[in-house]
Amino acid sequence: MSIRTASPALLAALLFGASTPLAKALTGSVAPLLLAGLLYLGSGFGLALVLAIRRIWAKPDPGNDHGGIPRAEVPWLIGAILAGGVAGPALLMTGLVSTNAASASLLLNVEGVFTAVIAWVVFKENADRQIVLGMIAIVAGGLLLSWQPGSLQMSTGALLIVGACLCWAVDNNLTRKVSSNDALLVACLKGVVAGLCNTTLALMHGAVFPPLSTATGALVVGFAGYGVSLALFVVALRLLGTARTGAYFSVAPLFGVLISFVIWPEVPGLAFWLAAALMALGVWLHLRERHEHEHTHEPLAHSHSHRHDEHHQHEHDFPWDGKEPHRHWHAHEVMVHKHPHYPDVHHRHSH
């Protein structure tokens, strides 16, 4: 696997990791659930603005059709939004009330494990020994990064946080089902719905809206750390599949800690360097993956950004100026061949 293929997932992790210390600076003046709502609103409305600008300035081009979500895929998107944008944050914020921060940080690492297990067991995504070992190394690094002696306390609150991780894992796997669509649109819809739900719940429970400057800061952080990050995450799901994307995204805490050291200067301890080494090992194992065998492509029709490579040898029913990549509805015929591949949008076959 090339670093270029993995770059959307790693950039998504970097942006999300950066949002954590930035959001932490706002926690003292905003209720947790309301802060989550504002971050998601910044994501949704920020991407909506980007989509509007794109629509206004883009020249009409039948070769770049950014259509809506196909009706058959809408249930997957709704399920992802309800699981990850509504249930997940609600369970997390409820669990945090009776769980210390150190325990919560440790438990949040479970999301990557749940994501991979659901992808491998439920959706039959392929995984060889190297990928599994890489996932274990990355998760172990995350646990070490957030470990504090005597910190892990299993309680009702802790179980709620584990439930939140399960919801986000379900969200990740369901989002994969719509990842061939416009990533900006998918991320925008998730952000708007999750933001409105969380903000409404927070205000109903007595949260006080923060000053305009604080709210604006939360919206900006949400746009970059949740909106742009989520759009890149959707692209990564399209290219890599769920488990591999989840593994790369699990390095986000490492980026968050690095940025925290920049904002609040501190000399990293031994645990940080060991965690960094484990995560680097995990990423390296994933990058050196080579999965190759003869496989069959079943008939498939969808729309996504593509070039005319070996998987896209089709005619156009509209005037095409030859520009690539481009996006339009196209059909794939049955094909049997052999080449290195990953469980991307064209390689979701059984083994």
Side-chain angles (χ1 to χ4, degrees):
M1 184 184 301
S2 67
I3 188 67
R4 180 179 177 181
T5 305
S7 60
L10 292 172
L11 285 173
L14 173 60
L15 288 171
F16 184 73
S19 73
T20 302
L22 295 176
K24 180 181 179 181
L26 302 170
T27 54
S29 54
V30 188
L33 189 56
L34 179 57
L35 177 58
L38 290 174
L39 291 170
Y40 278 116
L41 285 178
S43 162
F45 290 142
L47 292 177
L49 179 60
V50 173
L51 287 168
I53 293 173
R54 186 181 71 181
R55 179 177 290 272
I56 292 171
W57 289 102
K59 296 179 180 179
D61 183 0
N64 277 288
D65 173 29
H66 294 280
I69 308 298
R71 182 176 299 179
E73 296 180 10
V74 169
W76 297 114
L77 180 59
I78 292 175
I81 292 173
L82 292 176
V86 180
L91 288 172
L92 175 64
M93 296 307 165
T94 305
L96 286 176
V97 173
S98 57
T99 308
N100 62 62
S103 292
S105 297
L106 283 173
L107 293 169
L108 288 174
N109 289 284
V110 177
E111 179 188 346
V113 178
F114 283 159
T115 296
V117 170
I118 292 174
W120 294 334
V121 176
V122 178
F123 292 97
K124 308 303 181 184
E125 189 173 296
N126 72 287
D128 57 25
R129 183 183 303 173
Q130 183 168 287
I131 292 300
V132 174
L133 289 176
M135 185 72 198
I136 291 173
I138 291 171
V139 172
L143 290 171
L144 184 60
L145 195 63
S146 52
W147 175 261
Q148 292 182 21
S151 60
L152 187 58
Q153 300 174 2
M154 293 306 294
S155 61
T156 301
L159 292 176
L160 289 172
I161 292 173
V162 171
C165 291
L166 179 59
C167 287
W168 288 321
V170 171
D171 172 13
N172 293 338
N173 279 276
L174 295 184
T175 300
R176 181 203 185 204
K177 303 291 263 183
V178 297
S179 61
S180 64
N181 297 287
D182 186 355
L184 290 177
L185 178 60
V186 172
C188 173
L189 292 173
K190 293 181 73 173
V192 169
V193 175
L196 291 175
C197 288
N198 287 300
T199 301
T200 301
L201 285 173
L203 295 176
M204 287 175 58
H205 285 80
V208 178
F209 207 82
L212 181 60
S213 59
T214 302
T216 302
L219 293 173
V220 171
V221 171
F223 170 66
Y226 285 59
V228 179
S229 175
L230 180 54
L232 288 167
F233 188 88
V234 173
V235 172
L237 288 172
R238 183 189 308 160
L239 296 173
L240 301 173
T242 313
R244 289 160 181 78
T245 299
Y248 285 124
F249 194 74
S250 294
V251 305
L254 182 65
F255 291 132
V257 172
L258 283 170
I259 293 169
S260 295
F261 288 153
V262 174
I263 299 175
W264 299 285
E266 181 182 342
V267 178
L270 177 61
F272 170 82
W273 295 112
L274 291 174
L278 283 169
M279 289 185 166
L281 172 63
V283 170
W284 176 74
L285 286 171
H286 278 241
L287 287 175
R288 68 189 297 270
E289 176 193 12
R290 183 179 177 85
H291 181 75
E292 182 174 3
H293 62 92
E294 185 175 90
H295 55 276
T296 301
H297 291 270
E298 299 296 334
L300 174 67
H302 59 181
S303 175
H304 67 93
S305 180
H306 63 276
R307 299 179 183 274
H308 282 198
D309 55 20
E310 61 181 320
H311 295 101
H312 297 92
Q313 298 296 323
H314 50 251
E315 300 296 328
H316 297 86
D317 56 3
F318 56 84
W320 179 48
D321 58 9
K323 290 183 179 179
E324 293 185 326
H326 62 172
R327 179 188 185 94
H328 62 90
W329 194 263
H330 57 277
H332 296 267
E333 302 298 332
V334 175
M335 178 191 298
V336 179
H337 62 173
K338 178 181 179 180
H339 65 97
H341 61 278
Y342 316 106
D344 59 23
V345 70
H346 298 107
H347 296 91
R348 296 177 179 176
H349 50 256
S350 59
H351 292 75

